[in-house]
Amino acid sequence: MPFVLPIASPTERFGRHKATVLLEVHMITHGNEIKLFAGNSNRPLAEAIAKKLNTELGGIDVGQFSDGEISVHIDETVRGRDLFIIQSTSAPVNDNLMELLIMIDAARRASAGRITAVIPYFGYARQDRKARSRDPITAKLVADLITAAGADRVLTMDLHAAQIQGFFNIPLDHLLGGPTLYSYFKSKKIVDENFVVVSPDIGSVSRARNVASKLNCPMAIIDKRRPKANVMEVMNIIGDIDGKKCLMVDDMIDTAGTICQGAQALADHGAKEVYACCTHAVLSGPAIERLAASPIKELAVLNTIDLPPEKMLDKFKVISVADIFAAAIENVYLDKPMSKIYD
């Protein structure tokens, strides 16, 4: 049914000699068919999401020209369709970001009905403020680029700073990785009266508190000082961890300096066992060597970033978030609330 907008009659407009007009506006909220496309950043996750939705990824050719420029061609019609473009902006960050932007632009110029950028890992999220004079706020710039490219909506998980949601002038759905992680550790049957959730720094206190409340266990905090970028010095531990099994919770692990030094501090202060978990396993630089040598017994990560075989250790446990993203995509398509996903 069309939405009918009445324009005021002459009597309602106090004598203005204008006839009543009926303006028909057809409210189109989404296209008549869902389509999933993926770039090169995390094909395994995209394929798993498509399988959960009982569909297949759309045909798209994403490559490079001989000079290194990104080449994108959509191999099927998308006119009027509800498109979901799945692409993490992980390393190589700039290539994957450009792939995302160009795929969005190609879909918009092909008359897609609605375009949702599904970004399991949102790169540049740590540049969310001016930490020093003359610093850029690159997270805002990337948000503007995604919007300018033609995205109508963004679907992502565990932004490094939740306020980045406000950088977008289009709707953004912010999924949480915490429920998947604490459900995994709860299923391991290691959570008891001697289990403690640990925040590796002040910035992760809220995230650790949420996990601790779900596991019904106490929390501790590692108070640290960072003299310069990617260098951490542990100062002290707030809370009782002596003889306890500790679970360190963070949103991402990059060079692993924070998590490894924190794990060593816990071990030095009497922790019985040290576990760790994060949503985004960036694992750059010396991360693998540090984690291999650390006292961490097991590290659980979500597959928002595709880990190559050379970055896998025996102590790693990769947990899929395909079911969560599939449910979120279905809710966006059907205009259902996101709050029911974790019920």
Side-chain angles (χ1 to χ4, degrees):
M1 288 291 292
F3 172 68
V4 180
L5 177 66
I7 307 299
S9 66
T11 56
E12 292 171 326
R13 299 292 293 270
F14 300 100
R16 295 183 182 180
H17 300 291
K18 290 186 179 180
T20 299
V21 177
L22 294 181
L23 177 63
E24 291 190 358
V25 182
H26 294 274
M27 306 295 285
I28 301 175
T29 58
H30 53 65
N32 57 6
E33 184 181 345
I34 189 171
K35 288 281 188 179
L36 270 61
F37 292 93
N40 295 315
S41 69
N42 199 340
R43 293 282 302 189
L45 175 58
E47 290 168 356
I49 292 172
K51 186 176 181 180
K52 293 283 185 180
L53 291 170
N54 196 28
T55 185
E56 296 181 353
L57 293 176
I60 188 170
D61 181 21
V62 183
Q64 289 188 349
F65 293 108
S66 59
D67 62 353
E69 294 179 356
I70 304 297
S71 166
V72 170
H73 177 71
I74 300 175
D75 297 328
E76 57 190 89
T77 181
V78 296
R79 184 177 297 275
R81 305 300 200 270
D82 202 352
L83 256 63
F84 294 84
I85 298 176
I86 305 169
Q87 177 83 335
S88 283
T89 51
S90 50
V93 181
N94 297 328
D95 285 350
N96 287 332
L97 176 59
M98 283 304 300
E99 281 188 10
L100 174 64
L101 297 175
I102 297 172
M103 283 190 291
I104 293 171
D105 182 74
R108 178 175 61 88
R109 296 179 186 278
S111 301
R114 180 174 62 174
I115 303 169
T116 300
V118 182
I119 312 174
Y121 169 69
F122 183 83
Y124 285 109
R126 284 172 285 182
Q127 299 184 41
D128 63 320
R129 67 195 185 282
K130 291 184 67 173
R132 301 172 299 176
S133 298
R134 298 174 296 280
D135 273 0
I137 304 180
T138 317
K140 169 59 175 170
L141 172 62
V142 172
D144 289 342
L145 289 171
I146 292 170
T147 304
D152 299 298
R153 192 179 198 96
V154 170
L155 180 61
T156 188
M157 175 173 277
D158 277 356
L159 291 167
H160 186 66
Q163 62 266 26
I164 293 175
Q165 297 173 74
F167 290 179
F168 288 87
N169 294 322
I170 56 177
L172 183 145
D173 292 301
H174 189 208
L175 302 179
L176 303 176
T180 302
L181 291 169
Y182 66 65
S183 295
Y184 167 71
F185 280 98
K186 194 171 183 178
S187 69
K188 285 177 62 68
K189 308 297 183 182
I190 61 173
V191 180
D192 54 25
E193 64 277 5
N194 291 318
F195 198 82
V196 178
V197 173
V198 181
S199 173
D201 53 30
I202 299 299
S204 297
V205 168
S206 177
R207 187 176 296 105
R209 183 185 295 116
N210 290 336
V211 173
S213 66
K214 295 295 184 180
L215 295 178
N216 194 26
C217 63
M219 190 182 79
I221 303 171
I222 298 177
D223 179 32
K224 68 177 185 180
R225 178 172 62 88
R226 189 189 296 273
K228 59 182 179 178
N230 294 329
V231 176
M232 186 200 73
E233 178 182 349
V234 174
M235 299 298 289
N236 53 67
I237 297 174
I238 304 169
D240 180 20
I241 54 91
D242 188 22
K244 308 289 186 180
K245 291 177 287 186
C246 297
L247 171 62
M248 303 179 70
V249 179
D250 211 344
D251 65 320
M252 72 170 66
I253 297 177
D254 187 359
T255 60
T258 295
I259 207 80
C260 290
Q261 291 188 42
Q264 189 61 55
L266 293 173
D268 293 343
H269 284 75
K272 181 181 178 181
E273 295 176 350
V274 179
Y275 299 87
C277 64
C278 74
T279 302
H280 309 299
V282 179
L283 304 184
S284 66
I288 300 301
E289 291 77 10
R290 287 174 173 175
L291 288 166
S294 75
I296 295 174
K297 185 174 182 178
E298 183 179 60
L299 171 63
V301 302
L302 303 183
N303 63 339
T304 57
I305 297 174
D306 185 30
L307 288 181
E310 62 269 18
K311 286 191 175 183
M312 288 296 297
L313 297 175
D314 291 339
K315 64 174 67 179
F316 288 2
K317 172 64 178 180
V318 180
I319 307 170
S320 178
V321 288
D323 53 346
I324 295 178
F325 275 97
I329 288 171
E330 184 178 31
N331 286 355
V332 170
Y333 177 67
L334 297 176
D335 299 322
K336 291 183 177 181
M338 290 292 178
S339 57
K340 303 297 183 182
I341 289 179
Y342 303 104
D343 288 350

